[in-house]
Every structure is written in C-alpha cells, then in structure tokens.
Amino acid sequence: MLEIAAVTAPGARLHRAGLPDLPFDDDRFDAVLANFVVNHVPDPRAGVRELARVTRSGGRVVATVWPSGRNAQSRLWAAVVEASGAVPVPSVRLPQERDFPRTVRGLSALLSQAGLQEVCAGTIHWEHRGDPTSLWRGAEAGIGGIGTTVVAQTAEVRRRMRAEYERLVAPLVDEGRLAFRTTALLAVGTRP
Ligand SMILES: C[S@@+](CC[C@H](N)C(=O)[O-])C[C@H]1O[C@@H](n2cnc3c(N)ncnc32)[C@H](O)[C@@H]1O
C-alpha cells in the first residue's frame, strides 16, 4: 500500500503504523479515513478511538467496512470452492466481546462509542471493475479469506480452482474487464 500511495500521491508524507497505536499527537488531522481497515484490526473499538484521538476538534473520521452477508464477489468464490471440491478454511472471527455487527447500525455505534458525534452511516453501492487475472493472482497469493483457502489446497486442487474460476468468471467479464456490483458500509463522525 505504501508503494502504491507513493505513486498515486507523490509528495505525501507516508508512515507505516498500526492501530490501535498511531505515532501521532492528539488533534493532529482535519480528516481521518480508514477505508476497509477497521474490519481488519484485532480491536475495532480501540482502533476507532485512536482514529478519533488523532483528529482535531471539528474534524471528521470516516470508515468503510464490508457488510455481513454475501456479495457478487463472495458468491463467485463460493461457487469456485464448491465446483472444484476445495476444502474451505473457515474465516477467523474476532471474540464476541470485541466484534461489532457489520451493519449500518453496528458501524454507526462503533463510531459513537469512540466519542464521535453527528454520526451518519449508510450503504454505498458501486461497480467494482478490474482485471480477472489480477483477482485470481491475489487469491493465489493468499490475500483475503479466499486466499487463505487457495493456499491451503494441494497443487492439484489449486489447478481445479483456477479452471473453475476461469469458467465461472467468464459471464462477469466484458471486453476483458471484470465488473461486479458491490456494496459497502460507510460512516462519518465528527470529533467534538
Ligand atoms: C483491504 S486493505 C484496504 C487498503 C486501502 N485502505 C484501500 O481502501 O485500498 C486493508 C488495509 O488494512 C491495513 N491494516 C491491517 N491491520 C491494520 C492495523 N492494525 N492498523 C492499521 N492498518 C491495518 C492493511 O495493511 C491493509 O492496507
């Protein structure tokens, strides 16, 4: 991500750090964005509190997460797993006391509990476009839940998964581009 950011935001100062301990003073930033991050951290509440801490009074914290339930992409991967006979690796869940509902209300409450005010949350939809080969390469490299399953298979099952992926992704590809209708949860709150 740092390498990509260096290209897409030349001149930006980049830091490597991890929630819930950011190496920044209180009230440092006007706006703080955590795009599909709080769904990856071991303690989402502590993570959002930290995002709020580094935001100045009147500044905004914005977070997106994937909603619970299936989407077009996870349906594709589930079909690949089933058709290839792969053994899925169950996803690791946070302990119940640390987890939060991946719903509009759940994300909204997460921001409110971190002391943010005027919290506004909703669902956003867009068309996710990409290259079908890159999507497979990400899974093959172990990225995401499907990646965990792909790398746990034998070479023979991985080959079957690849073949089933090619077959099942074809109807979603137009002129070499893959397009999924997708949905995320987005919440914004203001630091008091
Ligand atoms: C799905 S990626 C999203 C990346 C980027 N924000 C975007 O929207 O393309 C999840 C990101 O969360 C980061 N991440 C995972 N654990 C983290 C933590 N404890 N603190 C901060 N970031 C973390 C990962 O390094 C990764 O860049």
Side-chain angles (χ1 to χ4, degrees), residues 2-67:
L2 287 169
E3 283 168 18
I4 292 169
V7 173
T8 55
R13 264 193 273 162
L14 304 173
H15 302 263
R16 180 191 293 258
L19 292 168
D21 296 305
L22 298 181
F24 304 118
D25 293 337
D26 295 357
D27 309 324
R28 171 82 185 273
F29 299 105
D30 295 328
V32 171
L33 169 64
N35 204 28
F36 302 110
V37 169
V38 296
N39 48 317
H40 286 281
V41 302
D43 188 342
R45 283 182 189 78
V48 178
R49 274 199 305 274
E50 183 70 350
L51 299 175
R53 181 188 69 75
V54 301
T55 307
R56 70 160 172 82
S57 175
R60 301 264 176 91
V61 175
V62 185
T64 56
V65 298
W66 299 114

Side-chain angles (χ1 to χ4, degrees), residues 80 83-86 155-165:
V80 169
S84 63
E156 171 54 29
V157 176
R158 275 202 300 277
R159 268 194 296 279
R160 287 210 305 268
M161 289 186 85
R162 173 75 193 256
E164 293 299 341
Y165 172 77

Side-chain angles (χ1 to χ4, degrees), residues 65-68 100-109 121-123 185-186:
V65 298
W66 299 114
S68 51
F100 69 99
R102 311 305 164 95
T103 60
V104 169
R105 284 170 70 112
L107 184 60
S108 177
T123 304
L185 306 173
L186 182 151

